[in-house]
Amino acid sequence: MDLTKRFHKACADYGLLEDGDHVLIGLSGGKDSLALTELLGKRAQIYKPRFRVTALHVRVKERDYQTDLSYLEQFCQDAKVPLIVRDTEIGEAPPNAKANANECFLCAWYRRKTLFNVAQELGCNKIAFGHHRDDLIETMLMNLIYQGAFATMPPLLQMEKMPLQIIRPLCLIDEADLIAYAQERGYQKPPKLCPFEHVSAREKVKQLLAEIKALNPEAMDSMFAAMTNIKTEYLIKPKPKQL
């Protein structure tokens, strides 16, 4: 199944798009968010369902990485997706953050805060992220290793405190396929990447996942299937307390 078919399958299987939606795309400028913008832009031109898309590019003042804004503007114009650019800066750690919250957490938190604010300003009811299947599996492993929980990023998530849903239309697509697609489409890479890109906990989990795939080439399929095939009768449960 090719990349475009997997995109459409995810949208259909998880009910990600509906008539009247206004979807805000988190456009970082990397291959994943570029592919997401292109695919959603094309999908929005189809009659059913009828929905609108807008892309938002957030620049973080304290981060020494760059994107070619003129390239993003032309890319969005070609995809028939309006582009908004906002600047933000990292402030104090949020109240619910751990005392040792790292730089990656704070950067992501303030970028997302800007996304949520702009979504509500524009009246968007959905925010689309470019997370692919590898991201979902890596997140599952990170939660197992660091949080002691079997959880990941779902394809569709209803926010509890605001009338917004998070959607991930690339959730059935492997990162390797996105890399090949980006090369085929001639996507331009950001001139300067994030300095923390290769020192994060996620990067270490990527390396672990590569070792797992060396043990079993079908491990990705098995782990993705496991997230929808949880056998609750085999979970370890504490004995109920007696009154």
Side-chain angles (χ1 to χ4, degrees):
M1 185 183 295
D2 66 26
L3 183 146
T4 303
K5 287 182 179 178
R6 286 187 179 276
F7 164 79
H8 289 301
K9 178 175 172 57
C11 291
D13 286 359
Y14 301 110
L16 304 185
L17 299 171
E18 298 175 308
D19 279 323
D21 281 347
H22 186 181
V23 182
L24 184 65
I25 303 169
L27 177 58
S28 67
K31 67 182 188 312
D32 306 330
S33 63
L34 289 173
L36 178 64
T37 301
E38 180 183 339
L39 292 169
L40 278 174
K42 288 180 179 178
R43 187 69 183 82
Q45 305 307 310
I46 300 175
Y47 184 70
K48 284 287 186 178
R50 297 301 294 170
F51 64 94
R52 292 187 293 150
V53 286
T54 301
L56 172 65
H57 178 63
V58 181
R59 297 184 295 191
V60 182
K61 179 181 178 182
E62 291 87 353
R63 288 293 168 264
D64 185 26
Y65 62 87
Q66 302 169 3
T67 52
D68 185 340
L69 191 54
S70 62
Y71 174 74
L72 294 185
E73 290 171 342
Q74 185 61 54
F75 187 92
C76 288
Q77 182 178 329
D78 293 342
K80 297 181 173 57
V81 176
L83 173 65
I84 296 173
V85 179
R86 289 288 176 90
D87 294 321
T88 189
E89 56 186 85
I90 298 175
E92 296 181 355
N96 59 340
K98 294 182 179 179
N100 60 343
N102 61 31
E103 295 296 323
C104 292
F105 171 85
L106 293 175
C107 179
W109 193 88
Y110 277 96
R111 284 161 61 91
R112 286 202 173 200
K113 181 181 179 181
T114 304
L115 273 166
F116 291 138
N117 288 341
V118 172
Q120 292 179 93
E121 288 174 18
L122 298 179
C124 298
N125 64 313
K126 292 179 179 176
I127 296 177
F129 289 122
H131 296 124
H132 44 68
R133 193 172 78 142
D134 296 54
D135 286 324
L136 271 63
I137 294 171
E138 289 161 12
T139 300
M140 182 266 291
L141 287 174
M142 290 176 70
N143 281 322
L144 281 173
I145 295 168
Y146 296 109
Q147 304 296 332
F150 192 85
T152 189
M153 303 179 291
L156 175 65
L157 174 66
Q158 175 65 56
M159 301 299 295
E160 294 182 358
K161 297 181 179 180
M162 57 186 73
L164 280 172
Q165 291 182 326
I166 303 298
I167 62 172
R168 297 181 170 91
L170 306 185
C171 63
L172 299 182
I173 302 173
D174 292 336
E175 184 175 25
D177 293 330
L178 282 163
I179 292 172
Y181 186 78
Q183 293 172 343
E184 176 188 322
R185 300 291 292 166
Y187 288 172
Q188 178 178 303
K189 294 182 179 180
K192 193 171 184 180
L193 299 175
C194 173
F196 299 101
E197 183 177 12
H198 297 297
V199 296
S200 65
R202 182 172 291 275
E203 184 63 25
K204 294 177 182 177
V205 170
K206 279 181 179 289
Q207 295 169 8
L208 172 61
L209 193 55
E211 295 179 19
I212 292 173
K213 286 190 285 186
L215 291 173
N216 176 17
E218 297 180 358
M220 296 287 284
D221 293 333
S222 296
M223 286 187 282
F224 191 83
M227 291 189 286
T228 59
N229 187 32
I230 301 173
K231 299 183 182 300
T232 57
E233 64 269 28
Y234 295 112
L235 294 177
I236 298 175
K237 300 177 183 178
K239 183 179 179 181
K241 293 181 180 181
Q242 295 186 2
L243 299 176

